[in-house]
Amino acid sequence: MSSALENALALYQRGIGDGRLGEVLSAYMGDTYTQHSTGVPDGKAGFKRFFEDFFKRNPSRNIRVVRAFQDGEYVFMHVYQNLNNGAAQWVTTDIFRAEQDGRIVEHWDVIEEYRSPAEGIPDQVLGDFAPNGAVATERSKATVRRFLTEVMQNHNLDALDNYVADGVIQHDDALGQGVVSWRDWIIEHDVSYDFVFKVVGTGDYVATYSQVLIDGVSHAYFDLFRLEGERIAEHWTNKEPVPARNELTNSGKF
């Protein structure tokens, strides 16, 4: 029996990368498949129909899974996509939910355009991934939950230093570098976490999926945090506006 992580990786690499849709539908998905990806119809038939057209439009596909881990029934992935030899480049963050046998039955994602970094700026997605297995995952998740509740939902910016290292490394160029720049960005764009939908982790890494208001616009928003001790030392983001209800092709982003 394959694990949820193995099936999710195969879905991406064998399915979206290599175009083996039949293999995905029969071997890696469960009997049902609930979809939350923007523009992709619900169900296994909707997945097949969307990607048949996707393959026609994108015959050249370089799909690189940069980070992936399993936390219980959930799998998180951080992916770089290069389509048609650089004509389009995307960063995708995904959460898959699996049944007990490891087959994938539900999927959430956020897709944002990849931006090549300026010299000296950390890359948006590319880089290392080496979780510290000596760190208790549940402790890391609890720290991130407290941070999101106290700072991002209750707007206690005075507590930011309690959770974030002074020299925090930001992989979102809009946030700048360091804790002061992050605080300034939150204030300037009136950032507020409406609700936190999922929290998953492995060791010193924690990924969260939330609805976040930025400049008054609702976004589906992934954060990936790397902790050192009780503080956030490194941070990645991925976001996309939440579609209007009348534009949905499935049950929505959450």
Side-chain angles (χ1 to χ4, degrees):
M1 182 186 302
S2 298
S3 69
L5 179 58
E6 290 170 329
N7 284 332
L9 285 167
L11 187 152
Y12 242 119
Q13 295 167 335
R14 300 282 289 173
I16 299 173
D18 298 340
R20 298 177 179 270
L21 286 178
E23 182 178 317
V24 167
L25 297 172
S26 63
Y28 313 129
M29 285 185 180
D31 292 336
T32 63
Y33 188 72
T34 303
Q35 179 67 267
H36 300 276
S37 182
T38 301
V40 184
D42 202 12
K44 295 172 73 170
F47 180 93
K48 181 175 184 289
R49 186 165 65 252
F50 176 87
F51 279 102
E52 284 175 339
D53 180 65
F54 177 85
F55 296 152
K56 292 176 184 176
R57 291 183 285 111
N58 301 286
S60 175
R61 302 178 300 277
N62 176 7
I63 308 295
R64 192 183 316 177
V65 178
V66 181
R67 298 171 187 88
F69 62 80
Q70 182 173 344
D71 184 358
E73 64 182 335
Y74 296 104
V75 173
F76 170 78
M77 287 193 185
H78 202 190
V79 181
Y80 167 74
Q81 298 189 32
N82 184 322
L83 305 178
N84 299 327
N85 302 308
Q89 298 179 75
W90 304 98
V91 177
T92 304
T93 36
D94 304 80
I95 288 179
F96 299 89
R97 182 175 67 85
E99 295 180 314
Q100 288 186 343
D101 65 359
R103 294 189 179 224
I104 306 301
V105 294
E106 193 164 10
H107 171 242
W108 299 263
D109 75 3
V110 164
I111 301 174
E112 186 173 8
E113 185 175 2
Y114 173 76
R115 303 178 297 275
S116 296
E119 185 175 353
I121 301 299
D123 195 274
Q124 192 177 352
V125 58
L126 301 177
D128 297 331
F129 181 60
N132 185 349
V135 175
T137 297
E138 293 306 316
R139 183 174 181 177
S140 296
K141 288 161 64 175
T143 298
V144 167
R145 286 191 184 99
R146 290 195 301 271
F147 163 70
L148 294 179
T149 299
E150 186 173 355
V151 177
M152 295 302 199
Q153 291 184 306
N154 295 340
H155 309 292
N156 181 10
L157 292 182
D158 290 338
L160 192 65
D161 296 304
N162 297 335
Y163 295 99
V164 181
D166 293 341
V168 59
I169 301 169
Q170 294 283 9
H171 293 264
D172 182 341
D173 55 4
L175 275 57
Q177 296 299 316
V179 67
V180 173
S181 292
W182 197 355
R183 180 186 288 110
D184 290 345
W185 178 80
I186 293 168
I187 295 169
E188 180 181 357
H189 296 283
D190 193 22
V191 177
S192 179
Y193 279 53
D194 188 20
F195 62 86
V196 178
F197 183 65
K198 297 290 182 191
V199 180
V200 294
T202 182
D204 52 342
Y205 281 83
V206 177
T208 63
Y209 183 39
S210 312
Q211 179 164 292
V212 177
L213 296 173
I214 305 173
D215 294 322
V217 177
S218 292
H219 289 77
Y221 198 96
F222 268 97
D223 292 278
L224 178 62
F225 305 95
R226 183 180 63 82
L227 279 67
E228 291 182 0
E230 298 294 318
R231 301 172 82 194
I232 296 164
E234 195 165 6
H235 178 224
W236 298 256
T237 71
N238 212 31
K239 64 184 179 298
E240 66 175 77
V242 175
R245 178 61 57 180
N246 62 0
E247 297 176 359
L248 294 177
T249 56
N250 52 49
S251 59
K253 296 300 291 183
F254 302 96

